[in-house]
Amino acid sequence: MGNDQIISRTRVFIENKFSGEGSGHDWWHIYRVWKLSILINETEKSADKFIVELGALLHDIADWKFHKGDLEAGPKAASEWLTSLKVKEEVIKQITDIVGNVNYKGAGVKPSMTSLEGQIVSDADKLDAMGAIGIARAFAYGGSTDQPLYDPNVKPVMHKTFEEYKMNKSHSINHFYEKLLLLQGHLYTNTAKDIALQRHRFMEDYLKEFYKEWEGQA
Ligand code: ADP
Ligand code: NI
């Protein structure tokens, strides 16, 4: 099977698997990460476009949050899918590395993506958690887990380990401080850092407006 066919088959597989998901992890998240990865890849030049696209399409195939905290579920599912398409072992290895390392694991946990292809996918994924879309996704996720919008008495926590981050019970505004406003510092490529500037500013402006309205001000 040619690379183009592997991409188009994977696109259809993922689109079917994710359509209608309500927690901010729907097909359109994958679609945006795929498009953004291609955009970042255009300026980063030396990466392998096929790996970037395939990694983007498969990056959330089995997220730990929906698999009882199992970080191996993603790489396993990606590997099974690619094996069914008879994709080369070497490609499967590159993709499972991406899928296994793409998740944000808490404010104090260093990102660990080593390949340039994986860094591009990770950057695109982080950008989609920022800006107008990022805000919408945070409240969608919060709603799906019965988390309140905000509670001024519950302060943000800077999680030092993935275990702490996973157990977090809070409100959606805290998620801005525990993740969204920190994402700028978790980006690898200069292209993504440029795109992030506007998205970061937009979230800061949003929070100012939110607190003003929270206090019942005009
Ligand atoms: P990604 O797909 O970008 O790796 P996650 O899987 O961590 O992101 O989460 C999916 C979306 O839900 C993201 O936009 C993320 O910021 C948001 N999210 C994750 N955890 C929380 C939370 N505790 N409260 C609010 N939003 C959250
Ligand atoms: Ni994602």
Side-chain angles (χ1 to χ4, degrees):
M1 195 183 297
N3 287 356
D4 286 351
Q5 215 189 337
I6 293 170
I7 297 292
S8 62
R9 289 275 297 270
T10 303
R11 182 211 156 119
V12 172
F13 168 64
I14 292 292
E15 188 168 354
N16 288 335
K17 193 174 162 69
F18 280 77
S19 54
E21 221 277 349
S23 70
H25 256 119
D26 58 354
W27 155 247
W28 295 109
H29 163 63
I30 311 296
Y31 173 83
R32 291 186 301 268
V33 170
W34 181 30
K35 295 287 145 166
L36 261 175
S37 295
I38 293 172
L39 181 79
I40 298 169
N41 185 57
E42 273 164 21
T43 45
E44 294 298 320
K45 304 254 192 287
S46 58
D48 179 336
K49 184 163 183 269
F50 172 59
I51 300 294
V52 168
E53 286 196 55
L54 202 51
L57 285 169
L58 290 169
H59 84 275
D60 273 336
I61 185 167
D63 195 275
W64 62 264
K65 288 191 286 322
F66 308 106
H67 287 82
K68 304 193 180 76
D70 180 8
L71 279 173
E72 283 312 308
K76 189 160 168 281
S79 172
E80 278 167 13
W81 166 249
L82 294 173
T83 302
S84 79
L85 296 184
K86 302 200 168 42
V87 169
K88 278 191 293 198
E89 202 50 51
E90 176 195 325
V91 169
I92 298 181
K93 171 82 179 64
Q94 290 180 78
I95 300 300
T96 51
D97 273 356
I98 295 178
V99 176
N101 284 302
V102 80
N103 283 305
Y104 181 81
K105 300 195 180 78
V109 186
K110 260 198 155 56
S112 57
M113 193 69 89
T114 49
S115 70
L116 176 58
E117 291 77 14
Q119 294 182 347
I120 291 172
V121 173
S122 172
D123 281 0
D125 192 36
K126 303 290 174 289
L127 285 172
D128 201 54
M130 300 177 69
I133 300 268
I135 295 169
R137 292 180 74 214
F139 291 113
Y141 181 95
S144 78
T145 58
D146 288 332
Q147 172 175 277
L149 295 180
Y150 180 46
D151 180 344
N153 298 319
V154 179
K155 301 295 175 205
V157 179
M158 294 300 118
H159 304 107
K160 289 196 189 58
T161 67
F162 182 43
E163 285 305 310
E164 276 174 46
Y165 178 68
K166 262 194 315 200
M167 301 310 292
N168 188 37
K169 266 255 149 251
S170 183
H171 54 77
S172 295
I173 288 294
N174 270 352
H175 189 65
F176 283 73
Y177 299 95
E178 292 166 357
K179 176 176 172 186
L180 307 187
L181 295 169
L182 307 174
L183 288 175
Q184 251 189 344
H186 286 249
L187 298 172
Y188 295 99
T189 67
N190 287 331
T191 316
K193 287 176 190 165
D194 281 349
I195 300 171
L197 293 173
Q198 163 70 17
R199 296 186 185 208
H200 187 87
R201 246 193 320 265
F202 189 84
M203 293 190 293
E204 288 181 330
D205 290 346
Y206 176 81
L207 286 171
K208 277 189 208 134
E209 184 69 22
F210 186 97
Y211 295 129
K212 196 181 87 181
E213 294 180 14
W214 189 266
E215 290 304 326
Q217 292 170 22

